[in-house]
Amino acid sequence: MGSRDGSTKPPLAERLDLEPHPEGGWYRQTWRSPVEVTLPDGRVRPTATAIHFLLVAGEASAWHRVRSDEVWLAHTGAVRLQHGGTGGRPVAGRVDVVGTGPLEVAQAVVPAGEWQRTLPGTADALVSCVVSPGFDFADFELAR
């Protein structure tokens, strides 16, 4: 199976059955809570969801935001996660390096409605993202 640019799927993406994510990188939902919650605005979502997210060396993700809190959890490599505020457009802000090394954080939180993107790294990186209330593409916005 090919990637977005016609090259082959990265080996780890193949092994974990990951697909291209609209923001960049590779992903697969690994868990969806069977418990649902009705939000104050009427949306019904699972209480939480989880994905594997792979960034291949040199790849980045586009500015985007979701309407739920997101917790990033490191597995291998390091992801440079840039925060972009909550305004109408993202503004480059703090960068958390999510990884398992001594100068990295093993977990990082992106609050609901905050712009985020990942910056290119020098090695492949695998993280999990837990979203609560659970992720739904209807709550996902790519920056223009």
Side-chain angles (χ1 to χ4, degrees):
M1 175 175 232
S3 72
R4 290 173 292 282
D5 66 2
S7 62
T8 59
K9 186 185 256 191
L12 188 54
E14 190 71 46
R15 187 165 64 88
L16 295 175
D17 195 27
L18 307 180
E19 296 297 328
H21 197 292
E23 75 194 40
W26 300 82
Y27 84 108
R28 178 175 57 86
Q29 187 174 87
T30 57
W31 175 74
R32 179 179 193 88
S33 173
V35 178
E36 291 186 332
V37 61
T38 300
L39 303 173
D41 62 7
R43 291 177 295 140
V44 177
R45 299 288 182 265
T47 54
T49 56
I51 65 167
H52 278 139
F53 183 70
L54 171 68
L55 275 176
V56 175
E59 281 189 346
S61 69
W63 281 114
H64 64 283
R65 61 182 169 183
V66 296
R67 293 173 65 183
S68 297
D69 292 334
E70 197 168 333
V71 181
W72 289 59
L73 307 162
H75 297 301
T76 62
V79 172
R80 295 171 49 221
L81 173 64
Q82 186 167 42
H83 299 257
T86 58
R89 291 188 183 143
V91 177
R94 178 180 96 244
V95 174
D96 291 324
V97 182
V98 183
T100 59
L103 301 177
E104 300 160 351
V105 297
Q107 299 178 4
V109 175
V110 179
E114 183 175 271
W115 292 104
Q116 61 179 296
R117 70 176 175 178
T118 58
L119 303 170
T122 58
D124 293 358
L126 177 67
V127 297
S128 286
C129 294
V130 177
V131 179
S132 180
F135 181 83
D136 188 296
F137 273 106
D139 301 333
F140 175 82
E141 178 184 3
L142 277 172
R144 292 191 164 114

